[in-house]
Amino acid sequence: DARVTQTPRHKVTEMGQEVTMRCQPILGHNTVFWYRQTMMQGLELLAYFRNRAPLDDSGMPKDRFSAEMPDATLATLKIQPSEPRDSAVYFCASEGGQTTGELFFGEGSRLTVL
Amino acid sequence: AQSVTQLGSHVSVSEGALVLLRCNYSSSVPPYLFWYVQYPNQGLQLLLKYTSAATLVKGINGFEAEFKKSETSFHLTKPSAHMSDAAEYFCAVSLYQAGTALIFGKGTTLSVSS
C-alpha cells in the first residue's frame, strides 16, 4: 500500500558531523513537508515543497539546515554541522490529490547527536 | 497567524469512560481543522478533519469532533474508551486551501486504564 518512506529510521552521530535524512513521498503527491518533533517544542514545521519548489523554509535554521527535492520521488533534509540540540525525530509527510489537508506521515528518523 | 491550543498535556480515563480532548484554535480566516493520532514510534495518522461542511465530524475508531465557531473549539470525543486508544493526539489547523502546511498543537497524551 502507498506510504511515505523515510531513511534512516535511527541515526546516532557526533557533534559536527553531517547528517542527511531522506524521504520518498507517496507517488503522485505534489506537496512534501518536513517536521521536527521534540518533547519541549512538539511538532515544528521546518520546510515544505510543492511540485518540488520550496514554498516555506522559515522554520529551518538556515546556517546549518538545508532541504531539497532533487526529483519528485525524493526529498532530503541535511544538517551540517550537527549539534546536540538537533536531536529529535524528523518526520516527512506528503499530501496531494483531492485529500485536502490529509498529510501522510512517514515513521520518522530519530536523530541523536552526541 | 493561525494556532491551536490543546488544553491538558495528559488525560487519563478508565476503559469504557468518555474521552474528551480539548482543542481551541485561532485563525483569521475560516480554518480547516484536524485531529491526528500518534502511536509509539510511529508517524501521525489522520483521525478526522473539518473542512467547512458538517460541524459534527466523524472519524475512525469511533472518534468524533464538533466545530464550534462561537467557542473557537474543535474538541475530540469518544463515548467509550478502549485500551487501544492510548496514544498521543494532536489538533492541527491550516488555511482554507490544499497543500498548505498544518500547524499542530503540543499534543495530548491519552492514558487508558483497565
Side-chain angles (χ1 to χ4, degrees):
Chain A
D1 65 322
R3 65 176 68 182
V4 175
T5 303
Q6 289 186 245
T7 58
R9 289 294 315 279
H10 302 274
K11 176 73 176 180
V12 180
T13 190
E14 292 189 348
M15 181 174 61
Q17 296 298 305
E18 177 179 301
V19 175
T20 299
M21 289 168 276
R22 295 176 173 81
C23 168
Q24 181 176 347
I26 292 173
L27 188 64
H29 281 192
N30 63 346
T31 309
V32 176
F33 305 83
W34 283 106
Y35 285 88
R36 176 171 63 183
Q37 185 177 35
T38 61
M39 290 290 290
M40 293 298 294
Q41 301 297 327
L43 277 161
E44 301 173 279
L45 176 67
L46 296 177
Y48 71 105
F49 297 77
R50 185 179 302 152
N51 297 322
R52 296 177 54 201
L55 282 191
D56 185 354
D57 62 0
S58 59
M60 277 196 329
K62 298 293 192 303
D63 55 339
R64 299 183 299 107
F65 283 60
S66 62
E68 296 180 342
M69 280 202 74
D71 61 62
T73 65
L74 176 64
T76 62
L77 180 66
K78 186 177 296 185
I79 308 174
Q80 168 63 18
S82 58
E83 297 181 1
R85 58 179 168 157
D86 301 329
S87 298
V89 182
Y90 291 80
F91 286 103
C92 175
S94 69
E95 190 253 17
Q98 299 175 7
T99 54
T100 304
E102 182 171 358
L103 273 59
F104 291 80
F105 281 79
E107 294 188 313
S109 293
R110 181 176 296 275
L111 173 65
T112 302
V113 183
L114 303 175
Chain B
Q2 299 171 297
S3 65
V4 289
T5 302
Q6 292 184 241
L7 302 175
S9 60
H10 200 130
V11 171
S12 297
V13 300
S14 299
E15 193 171 21
L18 171 71
V19 175
L20 171 60
L21 304 182
R22 301 176 187 273
C23 172
N24 288 89
Y25 70 91
S26 173
S27 177
S28 57
V29 297
Y32 280 3
L33 292 161
F34 308 84
W35 277 98
Y36 280 77
V37 61
Q38 183 181 30
Y39 298 102
N41 299 313
Q42 294 187 25
L44 280 71
Q45 176 186 359
L46 181 69
L47 269 179
L48 49 80
K49 64 181 179 183
Y50 166 77
T51 56
S52 76
T55 57
L56 183 62
V57 181
K58 295 187 183 298
I60 62 172
N61 301 337
F63 284 93
E64 62 182 38
E66 185 171 9
F67 173 71
K68 292 186 177 181
K69 184 177 179 180
S70 61
E71 299 177 8
T72 60
S73 69
F74 191 57
H75 301 332
L76 181 70
T77 60
K78 182 173 180 177
S80 177
H82 192 273
M83 297 292 285
S84 60
D85 295 327
E88 189 159 17
Y89 292 80
F90 293 90
C91 183
V93 63
S94 78
L95 290 175
Y96 193 75
Q97 56 188 307
T100 305
L102 297 185
I103 305 301
F104 287 90
K106 295 285 192 186
T108 298
T109 299
L110 175 66
S111 299
V112 183
S113 57
S114 57

